[in-house]
Amino acid sequence: MANTVKLHDLEFMPYLTESELSVIVSGLANRINEKYNGKSPLFVVVLNGAFMFASDLMKEVTIDCEVSFLRVSSYRGTASTGEVKEMMPIGTDVSGRDVVLLEDIVDTGKTMGEIKRKMLENNASSVSICTLLYKPDAFQGDYMVDLIGKEIPDRFVVGYGLDYDGLGRNLPSLYQIKPKS
Ligand code: IMP
Ligand code: MG
C-alpha cells in the first residue's frame, strides 16, 4: 500500500488494505445471500460514498435482486452538519419491497435514520441497513444497524469511495486521518 496521502490541508495514513476490505465485503455478501435466500430484495445504494463498496459487494450477491440509487449529502469537511439533504431521489417504488440500504459508513446515524424512515413511510415491507464501516462511539441513532462490515474508532477515514471535501474517493484502499503532530 502507498504511504501517507495529502488531501487539501490534511494528511492520511494507510488503514485497511484492498485485501482486508475484500475479506470484509465478502463476509457481508455471504450474510446477505443467507439472509435473503428465496427473496428478491431491492438494494438501494446511498451515493456518493457507497459506490465502490456497492460495486464490489453486488458482484458477490448471488440471489435475485434489484439495484437502485439515492444521493444524499450531510457532510462538510470532516464533520456532519446534522442536516440530511436529498440530492437525487430514488426512482423505484419501494412499497412491498425488502429494502437493503447500502452505505459506506454509519457515523452519527442521522443519514440512515432519515432514509430508513422515508422508506418505511413509502410502505417498504422491511428495511435493513448494510454498512461497510460503523463508528459505534459516534452513533446516536435509536435503530439497529443490521449488517456491519467493520466497527472503527471515531476518526475520519477516506478512500474506497469515501471523501474529504470531494477528494480521495478514487483511492482503492482506506486511509485514516493522521493525528496532528
Ligand atoms: P451520519 O449521518 O453522521 O451517520 O453520516 C453518514 C455520512 O457521512 C456517510 O454516508 C459519509 O458520507 C459521511 N461520513 C461519516 N464519517 C465519515 C468519514 O470518516 N469519512 C468520510 N465520510 C464520512
Ligand atoms: Mg455515505
Side-chain angles (χ1 to χ4, degrees):
M1 203 185 331
N3 288 323
T4 309
V5 296
K6 185 152 193 260
L7 303 172
H8 299 297
D9 56 325
L10 296 179
E11 280 201 280
F12 296 85
M13 48 196 194
Y15 183 51
L16 294 175
T17 63
E18 283 180 78
S19 60
E20 285 166 331
L21 287 166
S22 148
V23 169
I24 295 169
V25 171
S26 300
L28 284 171
N30 292 339
R31 288 167 65 192
I32 288 170
N33 290 331
E34 272 172 34
K35 182 171 170 183
Y36 291 94
N37 185 21
K39 297 190 175 173
S40 182
L42 171 65
F43 289 96
V44 176
V45 183
V46 183
L47 297 174
N48 293 328
F51 80 96
M52 209 176 271
F53 162 53
S55 146
D56 285 345
L57 180 82
M58 292 314 301
K59 287 182 252 180
E60 298 189 57
V61 168
T62 51
I63 49 166
D64 276 358
C65 63
E66 288 177 54
V67 186
S68 197
F69 302 87
L70 176 80
R71 184 149 83 90
V72 293
S73 166
S74 70
Y75 252 66
R76 190 176 302 121
T78 61
S80 171
T81 60
E83 180 204 356
V84 182
K85 277 189 279 180
E86 193 173 56
M87 317 293 284
M88 184 185 94
I90 182 177
T92 314
D93 185 10
V94 300
S95 69
R97 303 300 306 268
D98 291 307
V99 172
V100 184
L101 299 171
L102 297 184
E103 175 64 310
D104 51 355
I105 185 163
V106 175
D107 182 44
T108 64
K110 291 206 177 91
T111 308
M112 283 299 97
E114 272 289 307
I115 298 175
K116 182 169 181 173
R117 192 182 55 73
K118 279 199 181 152
M119 298 282 156
L120 291 169
E121 233 172 58
N122 290 311
N123 303 311
S125 331
S126 69
V127 181
S128 56
I129 296 167
C130 172
T131 186
L132 175 70
L133 304 165
Y134 174 65
K135 291 179 177 166
D137 297 338
F139 190 68
Q140 299 164 21
D142 54 2
Y143 58 89
M144 281 257 306
V145 181
D146 310 82
L147 295 154
I148 295 170
K150 187 176 170 69
E151 293 194 359
I152 64 166
D154 188 9
R155 298 187 56 75
F156 199 74
V157 289
V158 291
Y160 198 63
L162 293 96
D163 73 306
Y164 166 47
D165 261 345
L167 296 184
R169 294 197 198 277
N170 55 319
L171 296 164
S173 61
L174 204 73
Y175 290 74
Q176 189 182 57
I177 195 164
K178 201 174 162 179
K180 287 217 168 77
S181 50

